[in-house]
mmCIF file of all heavy atoms in Angstrom:
data_model
loop_
_atom_site.group_PDB
_atom_site.id
_atom_site.type_symbol
_atom_site.label_atom_id
_atom_site.label_comp_id
_atom_site.label_asym_id
_atom_site.label_seq_id
_atom_site.Cartn_x
_atom_site.Cartn_y
_atom_site.Cartn_z
ATOM 1 N N GLY A 1621 165.097 45.668 -125.098
ATOM 2 C CA GLY A 1621 166.100 44.746 -125.620
ATOM 3 C C GLY A 1621 166.283 44.789 -127.126
ATOM 4 O O GLY A 1621 167.065 44.018 -127.675
ATOM 5 N N ALA A 1622 165.566 45.710 -127.809
ATOM 6 C CA ALA A 1622 165.623 45.711 -129.269
ATOM 7 C C ALA A 1622 166.717 46.615 -129.837
ATOM 8 O O ALA A 1622 166.903 46.688 -131.036
ATOM 9 C CB ALA A 1622 164.262 46.114 -129.840
ATOM 10 N N HIS A 1623 167.422 47.329 -128.971
ATOM 11 C CA HIS A 1623 168.454 48.220 -129.499
ATOM 12 C C HIS A 1623 169.631 48.290 -128.541
ATOM 13 O O HIS A 1623 169.454 48.290 -127.323
ATOM 14 C CB HIS A 1623 167.879 49.625 -129.729
ATOM 15 C CG HIS A 1623 168.683 50.436 -130.687
ATOM 16 N ND1 HIS A 1623 169.853 51.070 -130.306
ATOM 17 C CD2 HIS A 1623 168.518 50.704 -132.009
ATOM 18 C CE1 HIS A 1623 170.349 51.701 -131.358
ATOM 19 N NE2 HIS A 1623 169.569 51.493 -132.407
ATOM 20 N N SER A 1624 170.829 48.379 -129.113
ATOM 21 C CA SER A 1624 172.040 48.363 -128.287
ATOM 22 C C SER A 1624 172.170 49.611 -127.411
ATOM 23 O O SER A 1624 172.787 49.561 -126.357
ATOM 24 C CB SER A 1624 173.268 48.204 -129.175
ATOM 25 O OG SER A 1624 173.205 49.112 -130.248
ATOM 26 N N THR A 1625 171.595 50.737 -127.859
ATOM 27 C CA THR A 1625 171.669 51.949 -127.031
ATOM 28 C C THR A 1625 170.255 52.424 -126.682
ATOM 29 O O THR A 1625 169.959 53.616 -126.746
ATOM 30 C CB THR A 1625 172.459 53.066 -127.733
ATOM 31 O OG1 THR A 1625 171.827 53.320 -128.993
ATOM 32 C CG2 THR A 1625 173.905 52.704 -127.961
ATOM 33 N N GLU A 1626 169.431 51.455 -126.309
ATOM 34 C CA GLU A 1626 168.019 51.684 -126.003
ATOM 35 C C GLU A 1626 167.779 52.866 -125.043
ATOM 36 O O GLU A 1626 166.991 53.765 -125.334
ATOM 37 C CB GLU A 1626 167.510 50.370 -125.391
ATOM 38 C CG GLU A 1626 166.083 50.327 -124.974
ATOM 39 C CD GLU A 1626 165.822 49.004 -124.237
ATOM 40 O OE1 GLU A 1626 166.405 47.965 -124.604
ATOM 41 O OE2 GLU A 1626 165.043 49.032 -123.269
ATOM 42 N N GLN A 1627 168.505 52.867 -123.922
ATOM 43 C CA GLN A 1627 168.292 53.904 -122.897
ATOM 44 C C GLN A 1627 168.576 55.299 -123.432
ATOM 45 O O GLN A 1627 167.810 56.232 -123.223
ATOM 46 C CB GLN A 1627 169.221 53.651 -121.693
ATOM 47 C CG GLN A 1627 169.096 52.298 -121.071
ATOM 48 C CD GLN A 1627 168.001 52.267 -120.018
ATOM 49 O OE1 GLN A 1627 167.779 53.261 -119.336
ATOM 50 N NE2 GLN A 1627 167.308 51.152 -119.910
ATOM 51 N N GLU A 1628 169.708 55.389 -124.145
ATOM 52 C CA GLU A 1628 170.107 56.685 -124.700
ATOM 53 C C GLU A 1628 169.058 57.219 -125.655
ATOM 54 O O GLU A 1628 168.702 58.392 -125.617
ATOM 55 C CB GLU A 1628 171.400 56.520 -125.511
ATOM 56 C CG GLU A 1628 172.658 56.839 -124.767
ATOM 57 C CD GLU A 1628 173.864 56.481 -125.617
ATOM 58 O OE1 GLU A 1628 173.996 57.054 -126.721
ATOM 59 O OE2 GLU A 1628 174.645 55.604 -125.180
ATOM 60 N N ILE A 1629 168.570 56.326 -126.527
ATOM 61 C CA ILE A 1629 167.590 56.758 -127.522
ATOM 62 C C ILE A 1629 166.270 57.120 -126.856
ATOM 63 O O ILE A 1629 165.661 58.146 -127.165
ATOM 64 C CB ILE A 1629 167.417 55.692 -128.614
ATOM 65 C CG1 ILE A 1629 168.714 55.585 -129.406
ATOM 66 C CG2 ILE A 1629 166.251 56.031 -129.538
ATOM 67 C CD1 ILE A 1629 168.768 54.457 -130.376
ATOM 68 N N ASN A 1630 165.837 56.317 -125.893
ATOM 69 C CA ASN A 1630 164.597 56.634 -125.169
ATOM 70 C C ASN A 1630 164.677 58.021 -124.540
ATOM 71 O O ASN A 1630 163.725 58.794 -124.579
ATOM 72 C CB ASN A 1630 164.331 55.594 -124.075
ATOM 73 C CG ASN A 1630 163.826 54.282 -124.656
ATOM 74 O OD1 ASN A 1630 163.385 54.230 -125.802
ATOM 75 N ND2 ASN A 1630 163.900 53.234 -123.863
ATOM 76 N N LYS A 1631 165.829 58.327 -123.961
ATOM 77 C CA LYS A 1631 165.987 59.625 -123.306
ATOM 78 C C LYS A 1631 165.879 60.750 -124.333
ATOM 79 O O LYS A 1631 165.205 61.746 -124.117
ATOM 80 C CB LYS A 1631 167.340 59.672 -122.593
ATOM 81 C CG LYS A 1631 167.518 60.884 -121.697
ATOM 82 C CD LYS A 1631 168.778 60.771 -120.857
ATOM 83 C CE LYS A 1631 168.894 61.925 -119.887
ATOM 84 N NZ LYS A 1631 170.094 61.836 -119.054
ATOM 85 N N GLN A 1632 166.542 60.540 -125.452
ATOM 86 C CA GLN A 1632 166.586 61.572 -126.488
ATOM 87 C C GLN A 1632 165.217 61.829 -127.118
ATOM 88 O O GLN A 1632 164.816 62.973 -127.288
ATOM 89 C CB GLN A 1632 167.582 61.148 -127.556
ATOM 90 C CG GLN A 1632 168.053 62.300 -128.395
ATOM 91 C CD GLN A 1632 169.207 61.891 -129.278
ATOM 92 O OE1 GLN A 1632 169.919 60.947 -128.978
ATOM 93 N NE2 GLN A 1632 169.372 62.569 -130.378
#
Side-chain angles (χ1 to χ4, degrees):
Chain A
H1623 200 281
S1624 48
T1625 57
E1626 180 187 324
Q1627 304 273 326
E1628 264 173 60
I1629 293 172
N1630 285 343
K1631 189 171 185 179
Q1632 200 170 336

